[in-house]
Amino acid sequence: MLRITIFIFLVSLGSTCRLALAEEISVFNFSQHSIEKDPRLIWQPVVFAKKKNSTRYVLVRDGDTTVLKATADNSISGLGRQLEIELAKFPILRWKWRITETNLRSDIRSKSGDDFPARVYVLFNINEDELRFIDRAKLKLARYIFGDQVPSAALCYVWSHKEQKNTQSWNAFTDRVRMIVLRSSADNVGLWAQEERNILSDFEKAFEMPAPQISGIVLSSDSDNTNAVSIAWYGDVTLQGEN
């Protein structure tokens, strides 16, 4: 079952972001909301497959702040934010996340192991005329099989199990999604981990072309392939300029 390549935004809340002058863009501001609110009414629910169970997302208190809690029980779905951001102006993505334990069967190179307790997808809007002929052909074939929502390019940062930090691989379902391991079984399980990635650099290294606009960011916890249960928490997510 294809992952981010067949996502569907179920609701559109007018959240497309066109800020150009701010030094920081708030993508997900969980800390500014109360736990009584349903996050699916604030951000966009993302469904990867209609016949799959959906991961449960709720806002909860963690100390003196509000965070997003994701419970995946043989399920897959996400929360997304549509964007229109010039990556050259805001190349730094920052967030924090926490999990209770890794999924022992996670494997970034296999379809059966394409489950992770925590993921952050960054989607890009590429002019397809700029792609090589072979890449256009692969994208056309993928969209014929899986639908028109196959993205032209995406980065996917994951909390894996056996792979070491900074391991990279193409997604098991498509080479239009670059998987990047940021944490593994030995890294701060049970504790908050702060992340900072230069997504401009990550994109250019993965796709070997100038970085286009960011078209969206999606948070997702999934366990549908491995029939597992996993719990993760996400803190605020921001885009920033380089210092």
Side-chain angles (χ1 to χ4, degrees), residues 7-241:
F7 80 89
I8 301 172
F9 282 133
L10 292 185
V11 295
S12 179
L13 302 179
S15 59
T16 298
C17 184
R18 298 182 178 86
L19 296 180
L21 299 178
E23 294 182 357
E24 176 179 290
I25 294 174
S26 176
V27 182
F28 295 99
N29 58 342
F30 305 124
S31 63
Q32 303 303 308
H33 294 274
S34 68
I35 62 175
E36 289 78 17
K37 293 184 178 180
D38 186 338
R40 297 170 299 175
L41 300 178
I42 306 171
W43 300 280
Q44 295 168 304
V46 178
V47 172
F48 298 88
K50 292 182 179 180
K51 295 183 179 181
K52 294 282 188 175
N53 298 324
S54 293
T55 297
R56 182 170 181 261
Y57 295 95
V58 295
L59 294 172
V60 299
R61 296 294 290 175
D62 182 80
D64 59 356
T65 192
T66 301
V67 299
L68 181 73
K69 181 180 180 181
T71 303
D73 185 355
N74 189 24
S75 64
I76 177 173
S77 65
L79 283 182
R81 176 88 186 273
Q82 290 180 305
L83 301 166
E84 290 182 10
I85 302 295
E86 294 294 337
L87 185 53
K89 297 178 180 179
F90 298 95
I92 306 301
L93 184 67
R94 300 185 77 250
W95 75 96
K96 67 175 184 177
W97 52 1
R98 177 166 70 94
I99 65 172
T100 54
E101 59 184 338
T102 56
N103 185 333
L104 300 182
R105 296 165 68 183
S106 290
D107 182 354
I108 64 172
R109 295 180 177 87
S110 74
K111 294 179 180 180
S112 62
D114 191 29
D115 279 345
F116 302 93
R119 305 180 185 238
V120 177
Y121 288 100
V122 184
L123 312 180
F124 298 91
N125 183 22
I126 291 179
N127 182 347
E128 293 172 23
D129 292 337
E130 298 177 6
L131 297 177
R132 297 176 302 173
F133 172 80
I134 186 63
D135 292 328
R136 292 199 304 272
K138 289 179 179 179
L139 185 59
K140 183 178 180 179
L141 177 61
R143 286 176 173 168
Y144 175 79
I145 297 173
F146 298 107
D148 293 337
Q149 296 301 321
V150 173
S152 49
L155 297 172
C156 181
Y157 301 104
V158 300
W159 198 317
S160 188
H161 175 69
K162 63 181 181 180
E163 293 90 4
Q164 296 299 309
K165 181 177 180 178
N166 290 323
T167 298
Q168 298 193 23
S169 176
W170 294 113
N171 182 269
F173 294 93
T174 173
D175 61 3
R176 303 311 300 165
V177 178
R178 188 64 167 175
M179 309 292 289
I180 303 176
V181 175
L182 297 190
R183 301 284 166 177
S184 68
S185 61
D187 294 327
N188 295 333
V189 170
L191 303 175
W192 283 103
Q194 182 70 48
E195 309 294 357
E196 179 176 308
R197 296 295 299 192
N198 187 317
I199 51 180
L200 186 153
S201 176
D202 285 343
F203 178 91
E204 291 180 342
K205 289 177 181 177
F207 292 93
E208 298 182 338
M209 63 181 297
Q213 277 193 334
I214 301 172
S215 59
I217 293 179
V218 177
L219 309 180
S220 178
S221 296
D222 62 307
S223 61
D224 58 306
N225 280 341
T226 55
N227 194 25
V229 176
S230 62
I231 301 174
W233 293 260
Y234 299 89
D236 290 356
V237 180
T238 61
L239 282 164
Q240 300 177 351

